[in-house]
Amino acid sequence: MRVSLLGTGDTTGTPTVGCDCDTCERAREEGLERTRFSVHVENERTDESLLIDFSPDFRYQFLRDGVSLPDAAIITHVHFDHLDGLGNVFRVVDSLDVYAADQPDPRTGESVAETVRTDYHYLDRIDVHPTTPLETVRLCGFDVTLVPVEHPPLVCYGVAIEDPETGAKLSLTGDTSYNVPQDSRDVLADPDLLLADAIVPASLCEHHPAGGRHENEDGVPRTFGTKHMTREGALELAAELNADRTRLVHLAHYYPAAEAFEAPLAVDGEQYRLTPAGVSQSETDRPGKI
């Protein structure tokens, strides 16, 4: 299993358009970037690939990183930074199977699958497959399970992806607070690689109108506002899930410049190979690799 981090940023990405903060300036100077979220997972056994979410930066990401076009895709939720790149499949692929949750959203009355099908009705090259959370499906030779997480006000899902032959496992928390249901934690547990939402450090919760939530024993917020984990919350969740290796994603440009690109915070272009021997990071000559 080869995992490529196409997009590791939040809604605005880093550097952010029109922003001259120290973090964005450092990103520009050093050629670092975090485009909107997307992950490419290649099955080297079957020569197939699975895409997690359609970043609005789809075209740029695929040209930049040279990964193969997907044979199937998953959409975790309907926020624009995870969905609006879907239109790029027009005239790019002959057909594409897109999988999304089938449970109705209490706010919209539609499931993620129904919203995708309605909003992209004009894309006759995609086939939307409603998928029941916590039930495993076989995609591109992988066992894939959507898991409910907490990302109000809309429903959102994390994903567990396991190779049934090698046992390699990738887990993605999806956009979520620290309050991930136990059933979902059970499915996400024991990954070789965990990609965890960690939008900002906990110290910035004081600047959010809703403050922070889900404080640990030391009073450190593990949720920023209501929708995303803090760095500290994501790392605590990683420990609870017994992740072998963790990279933090969906990162905002509000991280202080001195720590914004330090491990385990990810940047675009990182690649990992998951094998029975463990996780190895692929080398790349792209600037800004950490």
Side-chain angles (χ1 to χ4, degrees):
M1 182 189 300
R2 188 181 300 276
V3 181
S4 299
L5 309 190
L6 301 182
T8 56
D10 69 340
T11 308
T12 65
T14 302
T16 296
V17 173
C19 182
D20 60 359
C21 74
D22 290 344
T23 298
C24 287
E25 285 300 312
R26 181 183 169 191
R28 293 186 185 98
E29 290 169 2
E30 299 184 22
L32 299 157
E33 64 182 345
R34 293 183 174 123
T35 55
R36 275 72 68 88
F37 184 81
S38 187
V39 175
H40 183 276
V41 186
E42 180 184 355
N43 188 333
E44 296 169 295
R45 292 186 297 100
T46 65
D47 195 29
E48 295 174 291
S49 62
L50 178 65
L51 184 68
I52 313 299
D53 285 339
F54 285 88
S55 167
D57 302 306
F58 177 103
R59 175 182 177 277
Y60 171 67
Q61 291 170 347
F62 275 77
L63 289 173
R64 180 196 64 195
D65 292 345
V67 294
S68 60
L69 289 170
D71 296 285
I74 296 169
I75 295 173
T76 62
H77 65 299
V78 298
H79 281 154
F80 92 97
D81 54 324
H82 295 256
L83 174 60
D84 280 12
L86 181 56
N88 286 272
V89 303
F90 183 65
R91 297 192 182 280
V92 174
V93 296
D94 293 330
S95 63
L96 184 66
D97 292 317
V98 176
Y99 294 78
D102 63 0
Q103 295 182 345
D105 188 317
R107 186 179 182 91
T108 67
E110 288 187 334
S111 67
V112 175
E114 288 171 329
T115 299
V116 173
R117 183 177 286 151
T118 299
D119 289 357
Y120 289 89
H121 61 88
Y122 58 90
L123 290 180
D124 56 8
R125 299 186 183 212
I126 71 168
D127 189 6
V128 180
H129 298 267
T131 304
T132 302
L134 300 175
E135 292 187 6
T136 300
V137 294
R138 181 65 58 87
L139 305 179
C140 300
F142 296 128
D143 288 338
V144 179
T145 311
L146 290 171
V147 298
V149 293
E150 183 180 81
H151 188 56
L154 299 178
V155 296
C156 183
Y157 301 87
V159 188
I161 302 171
E162 189 165 2
D163 188 323
E165 293 200 15
T166 68
K169 182 176 181 180
L170 168 69
S171 291
L172 303 89
T173 67
D175 285 14
T176 185
S177 77
Y178 174 78
N179 192 33
V180 177
Q182 187 59 51
D183 285 351
S184 298
R185 290 175 183 239
D186 292 343
V187 175
L188 296 172
D190 301 315
D192 297 292
L193 177 64
L194 173 69
L195 303 179
D197 172 16
I199 195 164
V200 295
S203 60
L204 296 187
C205 287
E206 63 182 281
H207 301 294
H208 194 289
R213 293 188 179 187
H214 307 126
E215 292 84 357
N216 63 17
E217 293 179 355
D218 296 320
V220 177
R222 292 178 285 197
T223 296
F224 178 66
T226 62
K227 299 169 64 171
H228 295 276
M229 284 188 287
T230 62
R231 172 182 55 194
E232 290 78 359
L235 292 176
E236 287 194 37
L237 180 64
E240 293 163 12
L241 295 178
N242 192 36
D244 184 59
R245 186 162 186 174
T246 300
R247 297 300 280 173
L248 304 184
V249 295
H250 209 279
L251 304 167
H253 68 121
Y254 300 116
Y255 275 91
E259 58 192 73
F261 304 103
E262 300 299 317
L265 278 63
V267 293
D268 287 12
E270 294 182 19
Q271 289 189 346
Y272 296 90
R273 193 157 182 255
L274 281 56
T275 70
V279 182
S280 60
Q281 185 171 359
S282 303
E283 295 298 327
T284 177
D285 57 4
R286 284 190 57 237
K289 192 67 167 53
I290 59 174

